[in-house]
Each structure stands twice: as structure tokens, then as C-alpha cells.
PDB file of all heavy atoms in Angstrom:
ATOM      1  N   VAL Q   1     -19.203  -2.230 -27.725  1.00 91.00           N
ATOM      2  CA  VAL Q   1     -18.856  -2.688 -26.374  1.00 91.00           C
ATOM      3  C   VAL Q   1     -19.367  -4.098 -26.114  1.00 91.00           C
ATOM      4  O   VAL Q   1     -18.671  -4.940 -25.525  1.00 91.00           O
ATOM      5  CB  VAL Q   1     -19.398  -1.715 -25.313  1.00 91.00           C
ATOM      6  CG1 VAL Q   1     -19.192  -2.272 -23.913  1.00 91.00           C
ATOM      7  CG2 VAL Q   1     -18.709  -0.372 -25.435  1.00 91.00           C
ATOM      8  N   GLU Q   2     -20.581  -4.403 -26.560  1.00 88.00           N
ATOM      9  CA  GLU Q   2     -21.147  -5.728 -26.309  1.00 88.00           C
ATOM     10  C   GLU Q   2     -20.397  -6.823 -27.069  1.00 88.00           C
ATOM     11  O   GLU Q   2     -20.561  -8.000 -26.777  1.00 88.00           O
ATOM     12  CB  GLU Q   2     -22.614  -5.754 -26.685  1.00 88.00           C
ATOM     13  CG  GLU Q   2     -22.887  -5.486 -28.159  1.00 88.00           C
ATOM     14  CD  GLU Q   2     -24.375  -5.426 -28.468  1.00 88.00           C
ATOM     15  OE1 GLU Q   2     -25.159  -5.126 -27.556  1.00 88.00           O
ATOM     16  OE2 GLU Q   2     -24.732  -5.677 -29.629  1.00 88.00           O
ATOM     17  N   ARG Q   3     -19.579  -6.431 -28.039  1.00 92.00           N
ATOM     18  CA  ARG Q   3     -18.785  -7.402 -28.800  1.00 92.00           C
ATOM     19  C   ARG Q   3     -17.337  -7.489 -28.304  1.00 92.00           C
ATOM     20  O   ARG Q   3     -16.532  -8.215 -28.874  1.00 92.00           O
ATOM     21  CB  ARG Q   3     -18.782  -7.040 -30.287  1.00 92.00           C
ATOM     22  CG  ARG Q   3     -20.156  -7.155 -30.939  1.00 92.00           C
ATOM     23  CD  ARG Q   3     -20.113  -6.662 -32.385  1.00 92.00           C
ATOM     24  NE  ARG Q   3     -21.400  -6.861 -33.040  1.00 92.00           N
ATOM     25  CZ  ARG Q   3     -21.701  -7.905 -33.804  1.00 92.00           C
ATOM     26  NH1 ARG Q   3     -20.798  -8.855 -34.001  1.00 92.00           N
ATOM     27  NH2 ARG Q   3     -22.882  -8.012 -34.370  1.00 92.00           N
ATOM     28  N   LEU Q   4     -17.016  -6.723 -27.265  1.00 94.00           N
ATOM     29  CA  LEU Q   4     -15.652  -6.736 -26.728  1.00 94.00           C
ATOM     30  C   LEU Q   4     -15.386  -8.061 -26.017  1.00 94.00           C
ATOM     31  O   LEU Q   4     -16.065  -8.415 -25.061  1.00 94.00           O
ATOM     32  CB  LEU Q   4     -15.467  -5.573 -25.757  1.00 94.00           C
ATOM     33  CG  LEU Q   4     -14.117  -5.473 -25.053  1.00 94.00           C
ATOM     34  CD1 LEU Q   4     -12.980  -5.268 -26.052  1.00 94.00           C
ATOM     35  CD2 LEU Q   4     -14.140  -4.337 -24.027  1.00 94.00           C
ATOM     36  N   GLU Q   5     -14.392  -8.797 -26.492  1.00 93.00           N
ATOM     37  CA  GLU Q   5     -14.081 -10.107 -25.922  1.00 93.00           C
ATOM     38  C   GLU Q   5     -12.803 -10.106 -25.094  1.00 93.00           C
ATOM     39  O   GLU Q   5     -12.676 -10.866 -24.145  1.00 93.00           O
ATOM     40  CB  GLU Q   5     -13.949 -11.147 -27.038  1.00 93.00           C
ATOM     41  CG  GLU Q   5     -15.241 -11.425 -27.786  1.00 93.00           C
ATOM     42  CD  GLU Q   5     -15.098 -12.529 -28.807  1.00 93.00           C
ATOM     43  OE1 GLU Q   5     -13.958 -12.803 -29.247  1.00 93.00           O
ATOM     44  OE2 GLU Q   5     -16.119 -13.142 -29.170  1.00 93.00           O
ATOM     45  N   MET Q   6     -11.836  -9.265 -25.460  1.00 94.00           N
ATOM     46  CA  MET Q   6     -10.537  -9.299 -24.779  1.00 94.00           C
ATOM     47  C   MET Q   6      -9.867  -7.938 -24.917  1.00 94.00           C
ATOM     48  O   MET Q   6      -9.999  -7.262 -25.922  1.00 94.00           O
ATOM     49  CB  MET Q   6      -9.657 -10.394 -25.406  1.00 94.00           C
ATOM     50  CG  MET Q   6      -8.247 -10.463 -24.825  1.00 94.00           C
ATOM     51  SD  MET Q   6      -7.073  -9.298 -25.598  1.00 94.00           S
ATOM     52  CE  MET Q   6      -6.868 -10.044 -27.210  1.00 94.00           C
ATOM     53  N   CYS Q   7      -9.145  -7.543 -23.865  1.00 96.00           N
ATOM     54  CA  CYS Q   7      -8.301  -6.351 -23.933  1.00 96.00           C
ATOM     55  C   CYS Q   7      -7.219  -6.485 -22.868  1.00 96.00           C
ATOM     56  O   CYS Q   7      -7.532  -6.716 -21.697  1.00 96.00           O
ATOM     57  CB  CYS Q   7      -9.121  -5.083 -23.696  1.00 96.00           C
ATOM     58  SG  CYS Q   7      -8.144  -3.552 -23.885  1.00 96.00           S
ATOM     59  N   HIS Q   8      -5.967  -6.384 -23.260  1.00 93.00           N
ATOM     60  CA  HIS Q   8      -4.886  -6.439 -22.279  1.00 93.00           C
ATOM     61  C   HIS Q   8      -3.657  -5.704 -22.777  1.00 93.00           C
ATOM     62  O   HIS Q   8      -3.557  -5.338 -23.952  1.00 93.00           O
ATOM     63  CB  HIS Q   8      -4.544  -7.884 -21.897  1.00 93.00           C
ATOM     64  CG  HIS Q   8      -4.002  -8.709 -23.034  1.00 93.00           C
ATOM     65  ND1 HIS Q   8      -4.755  -9.636 -23.710  1.00 93.00           N
ATOM     66  CD2 HIS Q   8      -2.766  -8.750 -23.600  1.00 93.00           C
ATOM     67  CE1 HIS Q   8      -4.028 -10.208 -24.643  1.00 93.00           C
ATOM     68  NE2 HIS Q   8      -2.819  -9.687 -24.600  1.00 93.00           N
ATOM     69  N   VAL Q   9      -2.723  -5.484 -21.860  1.00 94.00           N
ATOM     70  CA  VAL Q   9      -1.459  -4.805 -22.156  1.00 94.00           C
ATOM     71  C   VAL Q   9      -0.426  -5.853 -22.529  1.00 94.00           C
ATOM     72  O   VAL Q   9      -0.278  -6.866 -21.840  1.00 94.00           O
ATOM     73  CB  VAL Q   9      -0.986  -3.988 -20.934  1.00 94.00           C
ATOM     74  CG1 VAL Q   9       0.366  -3.328 -21.224  1.00 94.00           C
ATOM     75  CG2 VAL Q   9      -2.023  -2.936 -20.572  1.00 94.00           C
ATOM     76  N   LEU Q  10       0.296  -5.608 -23.608  1.00 90.00           N
ATOM     77  CA  LEU Q  10       1.299  -6.558 -24.087  1.00 90.00           C
ATOM     78  C   LEU Q  10       2.656  -6.255 -23.436  1.00 90.00           C
ATOM     79  O   LEU Q  10       3.394  -5.383 -23.899  1.00 90.00           O
ATOM     80  CB  LEU Q  10       1.428  -6.481 -25.613  1.00 90.00           C
ATOM     81  CG  LEU Q  10       0.223  -6.993 -26.404  1.00 90.00           C
ATOM     82  CD1 LEU Q  10       0.422  -6.712 -27.896  1.00 90.00           C
ATOM     83  CD2 LEU Q  10       0.035  -8.481 -26.185  1.00 90.00           C
ATOM     84  N   VAL Q  11       2.945  -6.977 -22.375  1.00 88.00           N
ATOM     85  CA  VAL Q  11       4.249  -6.820 -21.713  1.00 88.00           C
ATOM     86  C   VAL Q  11       5.324  -7.562 -22.496  1.00 88.00           C
ATOM     87  O   VAL Q  11       6.466  -7.106 -22.616  1.00 88.00           O
ATOM     88  CB  VAL Q  11       4.178  -7.345 -20.261  1.00 88.00           C
ATOM     89  CG1 VAL Q  11       5.529  -7.210 -19.575  1.00 88.00           C
ATOM     90  CG2 VAL Q  11       3.116  -6.580 -19.482  1.00 88.00           C
ATOM     91  N   THR Q  12       4.951  -8.722 -23.042  1.00 81.00           N
ATOM     92  CA  THR Q  12       5.852  -9.481 -23.906  1.00 81.00           C
ATOM     93  C   THR Q  12       5.101  -9.880 -25.163  1.00 81.00           C
ATOM     94  O   THR Q  12       3.877 -10.031 -25.161  1.00 81.00           O
ATOM     95  CB  THR Q  12       6.369 -10.758 -23.211  1.00 81.00           C
ATOM     96  OG1 THR Q  12       5.250 -11.580 -22.837  1.00 81.00           O
ATOM     97  CG2 THR Q  12       7.176 -10.410 -21.981  1.00 81.00           C
ATOM     98  N   GLY Q  13       5.852 -10.073 -26.250  1.00 69.00           N
ATOM     99  CA  GLY Q  13       5.246 -10.502 -27.500  1.00 69.00           C
ATOM    100  C   GLY Q  13       5.687 -11.906 -27.847  1.00 69.00           C
ATOM    101  O   GLY Q  13       6.015 -12.709 -26.968  1.00 69.00           O
ATOM    102  N   GLU Q  14       5.695 -12.205 -29.131  1.00 69.00           N
ATOM    103  CA  GLU Q  14       6.113 -13.522 -29.573  1.00 69.00           C
ATOM    104  C   GLU Q  14       7.576 -13.776 -29.201  1.00 69.00           C
ATOM    105  O   GLU Q  14       8.396 -12.863 -29.185  1.00 69.00           O
ATOM    106  CB  GLU Q  14       5.927 -13.645 -31.089  1.00 69.00           C
ATOM    107  CG  GLU Q  14       4.470 -13.593 -31.530  1.00 69.00           C
ATOM    108  CD  GLU Q  14       4.327 -13.777 -33.029  1.00 69.00           C
ATOM    109  OE1 GLU Q  14       5.355 -14.037 -33.694  1.00 69.00           O
ATOM    110  OE2 GLU Q  14       3.196 -13.658 -33.539  1.00 69.00           O
ATOM    111  N   ASP Q  15       7.876 -15.032 -28.903  1.00 73.00           N
ATOM    112  CA  ASP Q  15       9.240 -15.432 -28.514  1.00 73.00           C
ATOM    113  C   ASP Q  15       9.735 -14.645 -27.314  1.00 73.00           C
ATOM    114  O   ASP Q  15      10.938 -14.367 -27.180  1.00 73.00           O
ATOM    115  CB  ASP Q  15      10.213 -15.262 -29.691  1.00 73.00           C
ATOM    116  CG  ASP Q  15       9.807 -16.098 -30.893  1.00 73.00           C
ATOM    117  OD1 ASP Q  15       9.315 -17.228 -30.681  1.00 73.00           O
ATOM    118  OD2 ASP Q  15       9.972 -15.623 -32.027  1.00 73.00           O
ATOM    119  N   ASP Q  16       8.791 -14.241 -26.424  1.00 75.00           N
ATOM    120  CA  ASP Q  16       9.128 -13.505 -25.199  1.00 75.00           C
ATOM    121  C   ASP Q  16       9.854 -12.191 -25.472  1.00 75.00           C
ATOM    122  O   ASP Q  16      10.640 -11.712 -24.649  1.00 75.00           O
ATOM    123  CB  ASP Q  16       9.974 -14.387 -24.268  1.00 75.00           C
ATOM    124  CG  ASP Q  16       9.186 -15.567 -23.726  1.00 75.00           C
ATOM    125  OD1 ASP Q  16       7.968 -15.418 -23.526  1.00 75.00           O
ATOM    126  OD2 ASP Q  16       9.790 -16.639 -23.521  1.00 75.00           O
ATOM    127  N   PHE Q  17       9.596 -11.595 -26.635  1.00 72.00           N
ATOM    128  CA  PHE Q  17      10.177 -10.294 -26.953  1.00 72.00           C
ATOM    129  C   PHE Q  17       9.568  -9.239 -26.036  1.00 72.00           C
ATOM    130  O   PHE Q  17       8.346  -9.084 -25.976  1.00 72.00           O
ATOM    131  CB  PHE Q  17       9.899  -9.937 -28.422  1.00 72.00           C
ATOM    132  CG  PHE Q  17      10.562  -8.668 -28.874  1.00 72.00           C
ATOM    133  CD1 PHE Q  17      11.886  -8.662 -29.279  1.00 72.00           C
ATOM    134  CD2 PHE Q  17       9.858  -7.472 -28.901  1.00 72.00           C
ATOM    135  CE1 PHE Q  17      12.497  -7.497 -29.706  1.00 72.00           C
ATOM    136  CE2 PHE Q  17      10.456  -6.300 -29.318  1.00 72.00           C
ATOM    137  CZ  PHE Q  17      11.778  -6.315 -29.724  1.00 72.00           C
ATOM    138  N   LEU Q  18      10.390  -8.522 -25.309  1.00 78.00           N
ATOM    139  CA  LEU Q  18       9.909  -7.559 -24.314  1.00 78.00           C
ATOM    140  C   LEU Q  18       9.321  -6.319 -24.974  1.00 78.00           C
ATOM    141  O   LEU Q  18       9.902  -5.752 -25.903  1.00 78.00           O
ATOM    142  CB  LEU Q  18      11.046  -7.160 -23.380  1.00 78.00           C
ATOM    143  CG  LEU Q  18      11.624  -8.272 -22.492  1.00 78.00           C
ATOM    144  CD1 LEU Q  18      12.786  -7.741 -21.667  1.00 78.00           C
ATOM    145  CD2 LEU Q  18      10.547  -8.862 -21.596  1.00 78.00           C
ATOM    146  N   GLY Q  19       8.164  -5.902 -24.451  1.00 73.00           N
ATOM    147  CA  GLY Q  19       7.519  -4.720 -24.986  1.00 73.00           C
ATOM    148  C   GLY Q  19       8.374  -3.472 -24.871  1.00 73.00           C
ATOM    149  O   GLY Q  19       8.304  -2.575 -25.711  1.00 73.00           O
ATOM    150  N   GLU Q  20       9.193  -3.401 -23.824  1.00 75.00           N
ATOM    151  CA  GLU Q  20      10.042  -2.225 -23.638  1.00 75.00           C
ATOM    152  C   GLU Q  20      11.115  -2.101 -24.711  1.00 75.00           C
ATOM    153  O   GLU Q  20      11.696  -1.035 -24.906  1.00 75.00           O
ATOM    154  CB  GLU Q  20      10.705  -2.257 -22.262  1.00 75.00           C
ATOM    155  CG  GLU Q  20      11.686  -3.402 -22.066  1.00 75.00           C
ATOM    156  CD  GLU Q  20      12.278  -3.416 -20.676  1.00 75.00           C
ATOM    157  OE1 GLU Q  20      13.305  -2.731 -20.472  1.00 75.00           O
ATOM    158  OE2 GLU Q  20      11.712  -4.081 -19.798  1.00 75.00           O
ATOM    159  N   HIS Q  21      11.395  -3.190 -25.434  1.00 77.00           N
ATOM    160  CA  HIS Q  21      12.362  -3.135 -26.516  1.00 77.00           C
ATOM    161  C   HIS Q  21      11.725  -2.678 -27.826  1.00 77.00           C
ATOM    162  O   HIS Q  21      12.425  -2.396 -28.794  1.00 77.00           O
ATOM    163  CB  HIS Q  21      13.012  -4.507 -26.719  1.00 77.00           C
ATOM    164  CG  HIS Q  21      13.863  -4.925 -25.566  1.00 77.00           C
ATOM    165  ND1 HIS Q  21      14.297  -6.218 -25.381  1.00 77.00           N
ATOM    166  CD2 HIS Q  21      14.356  -4.211 -24.522  1.00 77.00           C
ATOM    167  CE1 HIS Q  21      15.021  -6.287 -24.270  1.00 77.00           C
ATOM    168  NE2 HIS Q  21      15.067  -5.082 -23.732  1.00 77.00           N
ATOM    169  N   ALA Q  22      10.397  -2.634 -27.858  1.00 81.00           N
ATOM    170  CA  ALA Q  22       9.691  -2.235 -29.068  1.00 81.00           C
ATOM    171  C   ALA Q  22       9.344  -0.749 -29.060  1.00 81.00           C
ATOM    172  O   ALA Q  22       9.283  -0.104 -30.104  1.00 81.00           O
ATOM    173  CB  ALA Q  22       8.415  -3.057 -29.233  1.00 81.00           C
ATOM    174  N   SER Q  23       9.105  -0.198 -27.866  1.00 84.00           N
ATOM    175  CA  SER Q  23       8.659   1.190 -27.775  1.00 84.00           C
ATOM    176  C   SER Q  23       8.863   1.688 -26.355  1.00 84.00           C
ATOM    177  O   SER Q  23       9.121   0.915 -25.440  1.00 84.00           O
ATOM    178  CB  SER Q  23       7.180   1.283 -28.153  1.00 84.00           C
ATOM    179  OG  SER Q  23       6.659   2.573 -27.882  1.00 84.00           O
ATOM    180  N   ASP Q  24       8.725   3.009 -26.175  1.00 85.00           N
ATOM    181  CA  ASP Q  24       8.783   3.551 -24.819  1.00 85.00           C
ATOM    182  C   ASP Q  24       7.431   3.402 -24.114  1.00 85.00           C
ATOM    183  O   ASP Q  24       7.297   3.732 -22.940  1.00 85.00           O
ATOM    184  CB  ASP Q  24       9.222   5.015 -24.837  1.00 85.00           C
ATOM    185  CG  ASP Q  24       8.304   5.897 -25.666  1.00 85.00           C
ATOM    186  OD1 ASP Q  24       7.748   5.385 -26.659  1.00 85.00           O
ATOM    187  OD2 ASP Q  24       8.151   7.090 -25.343  1.00 85.00           O
ATOM    188  N   HIS Q  25       6.408   2.900 -24.844  1.00 90.00           N
ATOM    189  CA  HIS Q  25       5.111   2.562 -24.257  1.00 90.00           C
ATOM    190  C   HIS Q  25       4.829   1.085 -24.505  1.00 90.00           C
ATOM    191  O   HIS Q  25       5.243   0.527 -25.526  1.00 90.00           O
ATOM    192  CB  HIS Q  25       3.968   3.359 -24.907  1.00 90.00           C
ATOM    193  CG  HIS Q  25       4.013   4.825 -24.659  1.00 90.00           C
ATOM    194  ND1 HIS Q  25       2.914   5.551 -24.261  1.00 90.00           N
ATOM    195  CD2 HIS Q  25       5.020   5.723 -24.764  1.00 90.00           C
ATOM    196  CE1 HIS Q  25       3.234   6.820 -24.127  1.00 90.00           C
ATOM    197  NE2 HIS Q  25       4.518   6.948 -24.436  1.00 90.00           N
ATOM    198  N   LEU Q  26       4.094   0.455 -23.594  1.00 93.00           N
ATOM    199  CA  LEU Q  26       3.616  -0.901 -23.836  1.00 93.00           C
ATOM    200  C   LEU Q  26       2.347  -0.834 -24.677  1.00 93.00           C
ATOM    201  O   LEU Q  26       1.516   0.059 -24.491  1.00 93.00           O
ATOM    202  CB  LEU Q  26       3.322  -1.614 -22.513  1.00 93.00           C
ATOM    203  CG  LEU Q  26       4.525  -1.859 -21.598  1.00 93.00           C
ATOM    204  CD1 LEU Q  26       4.065  -2.459 -20.271  1.00 93.00           C
ATOM    205  CD2 LEU Q  26       5.539  -2.781 -22.273  1.00 93.00           C
ATOM    206  N   ALA Q  27       2.208  -1.776 -25.585  1.00 92.00           N
ATOM    207  CA  ALA Q  27       1.050  -1.785 -26.478  1.00 92.00           C
ATOM    208  C   ALA Q  27      -0.189  -2.321 -25.765  1.00 92.00           C
ATOM    209  O   ALA Q  27      -0.097  -3.110 -24.828  1.00 92.00           O
ATOM    210  CB  ALA Q  27       1.355  -2.640 -27.705  1.00 92.00           C
ATOM    211  N   VAL Q  28      -1.344  -1.872 -26.231  1.00 94.00           N
ATOM    212  CA  VAL Q  28      -2.633  -2.373 -25.744  1.00 94.00           C
ATOM    213  C   VAL Q  28      -3.336  -3.042 -26.907  1.00 94.00           C
ATOM    214  O   VAL Q  28      -3.345  -2.516 -28.026  1.00 94.00           O
ATOM    215  CB  VAL Q  28      -3.510  -1.226 -25.190  1.00 94.00           C
ATOM    216  CG1 VAL Q  28      -4.807  -1.775 -24.608  1.00 94.00           C
ATOM    217  CG2 VAL Q  28      -2.750  -0.433 -24.148  1.00 94.00           C
ATOM    218  N   THR Q  29      -3.912  -4.207 -26.663  1.00 94.00           N
ATOM    219  CA  THR Q  29      -4.608  -4.933 -27.725  1.00 94.00           C
ATOM    220  C   THR Q  29      -6.018  -5.295 -27.281  1.00 94.00           C
ATOM    221  O   THR Q  29      -6.283  -5.455 -26.090  1.00 94.00           O
ATOM    222  CB  THR Q  29      -3.838  -6.217 -28.112  1.00 94.00           C
ATOM    223  OG1 THR Q  29      -4.511  -6.878 -29.185  1.00 94.00           O
ATOM    224  CG2 THR Q  29      -3.730  -7.168 -26.936  1.00 94.00           C
ATOM    225  N   ALA Q  30      -6.922  -5.394 -28.250  1.00 95.00           N
ATOM    226  CA  ALA Q  30      -8.313  -5.765 -27.946  1.00 95.00           C
ATOM    227  C   ALA Q  30      -8.863  -6.612 -29.080  1.00 95.00           C
ATOM    228  O   ALA Q  30      -8.408  -6.521 -30.220  1.00 95.00           O
ATOM    229  CB  ALA Q  30      -9.177  -4.525 -27.752  1.00 95.00           C
ATOM    230  N   GLU Q  31      -9.837  -7.446 -28.757  1.00 94.00           N
ATOM    231  CA  GLU Q  31     -10.526  -8.259 -29.759  1.00 94.00           C
ATOM    232  C   GLU Q  31     -12.030  -8.018 -29.643  1.00 94.00           C
ATOM    233  O   GLU Q  31     -12.584  -7.979 -28.547  1.00 94.00           O
ATOM    234  CB  GLU Q  31     -10.236  -9.749 -29.565  1.00 94.00           C
ATOM    235  CG  GLU Q  31      -8.814 -10.147 -29.932  1.00 94.00           C
ATOM    236  CD  GLU Q  31      -8.580 -11.645 -29.812  1.00 94.00           C
ATOM    237  OE1 GLU Q  31      -9.552 -12.380 -29.508  1.00 94.00           O
ATOM    238  OE2 GLU Q  31      -7.437 -12.080 -30.002  1.00 94.00           O
ATOM    239  N   PHE Q  32     -12.661  -7.869 -30.808  1.00 92.00           N
ATOM    240  CA  PHE Q  32     -14.108  -7.695 -30.874  1.00 92.00           C
ATOM    241  C   PHE Q  32     -14.694  -8.814 -31.733  1.00 92.00           C
ATOM    242  O   PHE Q  32     -14.081  -9.254 -32.701  1.00 92.00           O
ATOM    243  CB  PHE Q  32     -14.467  -6.345 -31.496  1.00 92.00           C
ATOM    244  CG  PHE Q  32     -13.990  -5.167 -30.702  1.00 92.00           C
ATOM    245  CD1 PHE Q  32     -12.701  -4.667 -30.872  1.00 92.00           C
ATOM    246  CD2 PHE Q  32     -14.812  -4.554 -29.773  1.00 92.00           C
ATOM    247  CE1 PHE Q  32     -12.253  -3.575 -30.154  1.00 92.00           C
ATOM    248  CE2 PHE Q  32     -14.375  -3.462 -29.033  1.00 92.00           C
ATOM    249  CZ  PHE Q  32     -13.090  -2.978 -29.229  1.00 92.00           C
ATOM    250  N   GLY Q  33     -15.882  -9.268 -31.390  1.00 88.00           N
ATOM    251  CA  GLY Q  33     -16.537 -10.297 -32.167  1.00 88.00           C
ATOM    252  C   GLY Q  33     -17.580 -10.996 -31.316  1.00 88.00           C
ATOM    253  O   GLY Q  33     -17.903 -10.558 -30.217  1.00 88.00           O
ATOM    254  N   LEU Q  34     -18.120 -12.076 -31.835  1.00 78.00           N
ATOM    255  CA  LEU Q  34     -19.040 -12.915 -31.063  1.00 78.00           C
ATOM    256  C   LEU Q  34     -18.495 -14.322 -31.077  1.00 78.00           C
ATOM    257  O   LEU Q  34     -18.264 -14.904 -32.152  1.00 78.00           O
ATOM    258  CB  LEU Q  34     -20.450 -12.884 -31.663  1.00 78.00           C
ATOM    259  CG  LEU Q  34     -21.209 -11.559 -31.516  1.00 78.00           C
ATOM    260  CD1 LEU Q  34     -22.564 -11.651 -32.192  1.00 78.00           C
ATOM    261  CD2 LEU Q  34     -21.397 -11.209 -30.041  1.00 78.00           C
TER     262      LEU Q  34
END
């Protein structure tokens, strides 16, 4: 937890590709590190 830097829901991806076109759920992403 102390290394958690970012976490968000991917509504759009690269080139504005809509998350709804990839799956019936939006993806969640997180980054850990210092």
C-alpha cells in the first residue's frame, strides 16, 4: 500500500479507444513503486 502511486478506471485507451468496445467492464489499472 505504501508503494501505491496511481490507480484509476480506464474509460478510454490508446488512440481514444473506448473501454466499452474492449469489454462489458471497464478496466482498472494501478502502479506500484517509489
Side-chain angles (χ1 to χ4, degrees):
V1 173
E2 62 184 25
R3 294 175 176 264
L4 177 62
E5 294 184 338
M6 177 275 289
C7 184
H8 64 257
V9 178
L10 291 174
V11 179
T12 58
E14 294 182 5
D15 301 323
D16 293 327
F17 185 83
L18 295 177
E20 65 182 273
H21 293 165
S23 171
D24 58 328
H25 294 227
L26 296 175
V28 184
T29 182
E31 289 184 4
F32 297 86
L34 290 178

